Amino acid sequence: MDSQTAVAPHPSHDSSKTGRLKPDSLGVLGILFFVLSAQAPLTGIAGAVPIAVAIGNGAGAPAAYVAAGCVVLLFSIGFVAMGRHVVDAGAFYTYIGKGLGRSTGSGSAGVALFAYCTVQAAMYGLYGATVSGLVEHYAGVHVAWWVWTLVTMVVVQVLGAAGIEMGAKVLAVFVLAEFSILIAFALVTFFKGGGPEGLDFGGSFSPGAALQGAPGVALMFAVASMFGFEATAIYGEEAREPRKTVPRATYLSVAVITCFFAFTSWMLVSAHGASRATAEAGRALTSGDATTWVFTPITAQFGAWTGDVLPVLLATSLFAGILAFHNSANRYLFSLGREGLLPHGLTAINQRHSPWAAGVVQTLISVALVIPFALLGKDPVLTLFSWFSGVAVLGIMLLYFLTSVSVVVFFRRSRADIRPWNTLIAPVLGALGIAGAIWLIIDNFTTLIGGDEATAVWLELTVPAVLILGLVVARLTRRGPAVTL
């Protein structure tokens, strides 16, 4: 029976009993801004690219972003095909439940919620440290990182409760600011003919360049940078014409993210010179501030003023990501409450149709994840950010894999869509690519979290532990509507 049932899709929910999110609130661009905010573009470029270059495949790192984009695109084809038959704020767990059964779907819901909450907590750690450093630098006042983090949690809670439109407007401002300066740098560098060695396309994209050094490490960081694009489906209930808007937003997100990271990282390599990029990235890592590898050529291109602006944009980039993941996580809590897997009180919405109760719980979860690191005096970047971001990436990749398998099973059984490329070939290829990425993440997990092997093992085990806990909860709460396919 379990393999034949799934969590019921959204449309028939009675708003008087369960509450409904506000329909027709977001268009393609609104959803796109939420996705790009979750990417935290400047954070991804300044934080991940120097590491991928230094310990990955050097100047070939841009090719890793292209490869990761291809894998994500294959996954997206099946993801979109399933999305035409399911519109629900639960996204992953609903999709997985449709093909692999309610229990597996519910277990995956636990993993999704865990991943979104841990990545948000990770970003809070880096954000707190960044803001603390900025205030000390410009005002000469030292305030502990966790103080800024707790204050920001209140701000995020208020913005989250203010409604999805307000959140989209705030994120649009921050995303445009960080995107603008990075794209401007990349375009100016490109049209000037590159850096000291020219554009050197082959130095970054030839097979030899792509496979040099440790390409698996570079691919791992590239895949991690794609984290968050799946949020397009989470906002399906609030989208205008979701069966058109969500697919368009998904494909547009994947294309924009892939092109942005590949092109910008290529121009950064070019600015340093393909033959010198690896050594200079290594020196930046050794200095303890990898962002200098990115900020230095931008400052050289546009002037000293960018040296003051870029750290501020890094903080706003992190804030935008935090707000985006807050909205994603509280919609998961809302959906789980609506399906009876968590307390029904989580379905409470305010006059702006925002899931305020779920938002409060999500904020309390963030406090619970962050406070222990503050009390123990742990470095917020080396522990909170590094550990939780690694765990979140591993959890989301597991969900990608389960979703791809579920797409194949669902369409083979229901025959709701018989297009072989969309419902079989692309999902299978995507699942294989994601399985390879998971292996790379596990094999290089110690590098990803910047910790020791024992810590890596314990953190890795949290993901299957949460999945099993979700399965147990599903078995204990077998109630609510189910759909027989």
Side-chain angles (χ1 to χ4, degrees):
M1 176 67 176
D2 192 54
S3 64
Q4 300 297 316
T5 61
V7 180
H10 144 350
S12 63
H13 289 302
D14 182 353
S15 61
S16 66
K17 296 180 180 180
T18 63
R20 283 187 58 181
L21 300 176
K22 187 177 181 180
D24 301 323
S25 301
L26 294 172
V28 172
L29 291 180
I31 296 175
L32 179 63
F33 280 123
F34 273 104
V35 172
L36 296 181
S37 299
Q39 302 295 321
L42 182 57
T43 305
I45 289 292
V49 174
I51 302 174
V53 172
I55 64 176
N57 59 347
Y65 286 97
V66 175
C70 290
V71 171
V72 170
L73 179 60
L74 288 170
F75 166 81
S76 299
I77 292 171
F79 187 67
V80 166
M82 177 71 89
R84 297 184 186 279
H85 301 273
V86 182
V87 179
D88 191 280
F92 273 137
Y93 90 84
T94 312
Y95 285 28
I96 293 171
K98 292 287 278 186
L100 303 182
R102 178 187 170 97
S103 293
T104 305
S106 300
S108 69
V111 175
L113 186 60
F114 180 63
Y116 286 134
C117 288
T118 50
V119 75
Q120 190 201 35
M123 297 176 85
Y124 268 128
L126 182 54
Y127 172 86
T130 301
V131 173
S132 179
L134 285 172
V135 172
E136 186 167 7
H137 177 74
Y138 290 108
V141 178
H142 175 71
V143 179
W145 67 270
W146 56 266
V147 174
W148 296 112
T149 294
L150 292 177
V151 169
T152 303
M153 286 181 182
V154 176
V155 176
V156 167
Q157 174 61 34
V158 171
L159 285 175
I164 197 71
E165 299 100 328
M166 177 62 72
K169 291 174 182 176
V170 171
L171 294 179
V173 173
F174 290 150
V175 170
L176 286 174
E178 58 185 300
F179 251 76
S180 296
I181 194 165
L182 290 170
I183 289 297
F185 162 77
L187 290 173
V188 169
T189 303
F190 179 80
F191 286 112
K192 281 188 174 181
E197 299 171 15
L199 293 174
D200 196 4
F201 182 86
S204 290
F205 294 103
S206 69
L211 297 175
Q212 67 182 333
V217 174
L219 183 61
M220 175 187 67
F221 281 102
V223 169
S225 297
M226 301 288 173
F227 190 160
F229 84 93
E230 72 289 337
T232 53
I234 293 175
Y235 299 107
E237 289 188 35
E238 296 156 281
R240 292 188 287 272
E241 298 184 87
R243 286 177 172 79
K244 293 181 180 179
T245 302
V246 171
R248 291 171 183 170
T250 301
Y251 287 133
L252 183 60
S253 298
V254 173
V256 169
I257 293 165
T258 301
C259 292
F260 169 77
F261 276 101
F263 182 58
T264 305
S265 61
W266 176 33
M267 288 303 98
L268 284 166
V269 168
S270 177
H272 288 280
S275 65
R276 298 184 296 180
T278 304
E280 291 181 6
R283 282 194 289 272
L285 260 64
T286 302
S287 73
D289 185 6
T291 63
T292 58
W293 189 83
V294 174
F295 291 174
T296 298
I298 296 177
T299 301
Q301 188 74 263
F302 295 134
W305 65 271
T306 56
D308 293 323
V309 171
L310 285 168
V312 175
L313 287 179
L314 179 60
T316 59
S317 171
L318 287 163
F319 179 84
I322 287 167
L323 179 57
F325 282 116
H326 172 80
N327 283 315
S328 295
N330 67 29
R331 278 152 180 77
Y332 257 93
L333 287 166
F334 170 87
S335 188
L336 289 171
R338 191 167 59 185
E339 297 298 342
L341 293 168
L342 288 178
H344 183 75
L346 292 171
T347 63
I349 57 176
N350 60 21
Q351 292 181 339
R352 294 180 177 272
H353 294 267
S354 175
W356 70 268
V360 170
V361 171
Q362 199 284 317
T363 298
L364 292 175
I365 291 173
S366 297
V367 173
L369 290 173
V370 168
I371 286 298
F373 289 85
L375 293 176
L376 295 172
K378 295 291 186 180
D379 187 293
V381 178
L382 299 180
T383 56
L384 178 56
F385 176 73
S386 298
W387 294 1
F388 279 177
S389 57
V391 166
V393 169
L394 183 58
I396 285 295
M397 294 307 296
L398 174 61
L399 295 177
Y400 289 172
F401 177 78
L402 291 175
T403 300
S404 291
V405 175
S406 180
V407 167
V408 174
V409 174
F410 171 73
F411 286 114
R412 296 283 71 72
R413 189 170 66 229
S414 70
R415 311 301 293 175
D417 188 335
I418 59 173
R419 295 174 296 172
W421 171 251
N422 298 69
T423 63
L424 178 62
I425 300 172
V428 167
L429 292 175
L432 292 174
I434 291 165
I438 292 173
W439 180 85
L440 287 173
I441 290 171
I442 293 174
D443 191 49
N444 296 282
F445 201 70
T446 304
T447 301
L448 182 61
I449 67 166
D452 57 76
E453 189 171 343
T455 301
V457 171
W458 280 109
L459 289 172
E460 286 172 324
L461 290 175
T462 60
V463 175
V466 170
L467 178 63
I468 292 170
L469 179 62
L471 290 170
V472 172
V473 171
R475 295 288 181 181
L476 296 176
T477 57
R478 277 191 175 279
R479 62 187 181 85
V483 176
T484 301
L485 302 177

